[in-house]
Amino acid sequence: MRNLTILSLALLLSMLILGCEKEDEKIQTSILKMKWIEAFEEKTSEEIEIYRPGDYDDFPASRYRQVFIFDDKGEIEYRVLAANDAHYMAKGSWEYNEKTKILKIYNTDSEKIYEFEIIELTNQMLKIKAYN
């Protein structure tokens, strides 16, 4: 009976430890440093946005898709939605806080224009929650 209790406690403790590790999983920002294109067709909720790599070729036709191109020097190019459909790419900078998983994007005047929480990042998908 005592062995069964110890085994149960050990199992419970290991489940708690494994659960905590998943929450504290670090985002590999090296994967972030490429071109990402919005895949709004894949959205499952209003607050979560899905992006696919720049070489992803399974996008249906669209008038506008947000694009981010991150580099390893903290610089970024991002697509700007123009009212006259003359969309263009602008430059800025980005920073990522590993503790909060918050990604901030700034324009060339150092004004914050985007703030996201990275929910999931793999080499095939960027899943973010927007804060602006």
Side-chain angles (χ1 to χ4, degrees):
M1 181 72 172
R2 184 168 188 236
N3 286 341
L4 186 58
T5 303
I6 292 173
L7 181 61
S8 297
L9 286 173
L11 183 60
L12 179 62
L13 184 60
S14 64
M15 288 173 58
L16 288 173
I17 289 171
L18 289 175
C20 290
E21 286 178 11
K22 183 133 179 115
E23 283 181 24
D24 294 338
E25 192 174 290
K26 289 194 178 203
I27 301 292
Q28 293 181 344
T29 55
S30 60
I31 298 172
L32 184 65
K33 299 169 187 172
M34 67 167 124
K35 180 178 184 178
W36 292 96
I37 303 172
E38 183 179 17
F40 52 80
E41 301 86 357
E42 297 182 47
K43 284 180 77 165
T44 58
S45 74
E46 281 300 311
E47 58 208 28
I48 304 295
E49 299 175 17
I50 307 291
Y51 286 77
R52 293 292 181 175
D55 60 358
Y56 188 77
D57 59 359
D58 201 20
F59 290 115
S62 173
R63 292 183 63 164
Y64 180 80
R65 289 183 189 280
Q66 181 57 276
V67 174
F68 295 110
I69 305 171
F70 296 88
D71 79 4
D72 57 356
K73 298 175 189 142
E75 295 176 359
I76 189 170
E77 285 188 64
Y78 56 93
R79 185 171 285 160
V80 176
L81 176 63
N84 63 355
D85 282 342
H87 316 308
Y88 60 94
M89 296 299 285
K91 294 183 184 269
S93 61
W94 65 277
E95 65 182 21
Y96 177 70
N97 183 314
E98 287 186 14
K99 274 190 163 188
T100 62
K101 298 182 181 179
I102 299 295
L103 171 67
K104 294 180 183 177
I105 298 174
Y106 302 91
N107 63 17
T108 53
D109 295 328
S110 299
E111 299 167 329
K112 182 175 65 174
I113 55 172
Y114 295 106
E115 184 173 349
F116 304 110
E117 177 184 353
I118 296 182
I119 306 298
E120 183 179 342
L121 177 61
T122 68
N123 60 357
Q124 292 300 311
M125 181 177 57
L126 170 61
K127 188 182 287 190
I128 57 177
K129 180 178 180 180
Y131 286 110
N132 26 332

